[in-house]
Amino acid sequence: LRRSVFACSLCHRRTLKCRRCDTCMTRGHGAYDDEKCFKCEGLIEHWQDENITKLSRNGHCSWCFLDASHTLEKHNSVRRSIFACHSCGLRSVPCVKCKDNFCRGGVAWDDNTCASCESDSNG
């Protein structure tokens, strides 16, 4: 079933109605659309929740090599969640080794370790 597509009035990004509650909006992406809003996904209890700030994390980006904020793009329970770097805008995923920094990510691939951990292991 198709859903109507909207644009956020603040960021002008693609949004769609949540398939579960049908009152909140989900984010639309190029290749896929989120099915449920963050509340129905269980990431926040309500829209005024202070945990909403946890949807962004700071860390070293392995694309632009800057310490930057990374915004959650897609929450994954089994695999690593997908983020986007605020500095360069590219896809990033948490490092499996240090868990503090971010690895480069692509549509069909993700690095396992960040640039910092990679340089530590190469000496």
Side-chain angles (χ1 to χ4, degrees):
L1 295 169
R2 294 185 151 229
R3 295 181 283 173
S4 296
V5 177
F6 302 89
C8 173
S9 61
L10 295 176
C11 68
H12 307 290
R13 289 186 178 182
R14 175 185 161 99
T15 60
L16 302 94
K17 285 207 172 208
C18 175
R19 286 199 188 268
R20 186 169 184 197
C21 69
D22 200 39
T23 57
C24 298
M25 303 303 280
T26 66
R27 294 186 293 181
H29 306 279
Y32 64 91
D33 298 318
D34 291 345
E35 296 293 318
K36 297 184 279 187
C37 66
F38 283 168
K39 184 178 173 194
C40 291
E41 193 70 58
L43 296 173
I44 57 173
E45 286 188 37
H46 49 80
W47 290 105
Q48 289 74 35
D49 193 334
E50 64 271 358
N51 287 327
I52 218 159
T53 58
K54 292 182 182 171
L55 301 177
S56 280
R57 290 180 30 197
N58 286 334
H60 186 266
C61 176
S62 295
W63 285 109
C64 63
F65 304 109
L66 296 174
D67 190 29
S69 178
H70 296 254
T71 301
L72 181 67
E73 291 289 320
K74 180 160 180 50
H75 171 71
N76 288 318
S77 299
V78 178
R79 298 169 50 201
R80 290 180 289 173
S81 293
I82 300 166
F83 292 79
C85 175
H86 274 227
S87 178
C88 65
L90 295 174
R91 174 184 164 125
S92 58
V93 293
C95 177
V96 296
K97 188 173 182 182
C98 71
K99 310 221 184 317
D100 293 325
N101 297 319
F102 289 85
C103 308
R104 297 177 307 159
V107 176
W109 60 273
D110 295 319
D111 287 348
N112 286 322
T113 54
C114 66
S116 179
C117 290
E118 193 66 32
S119 68
D120 288 347
S121 66
N122 289 334

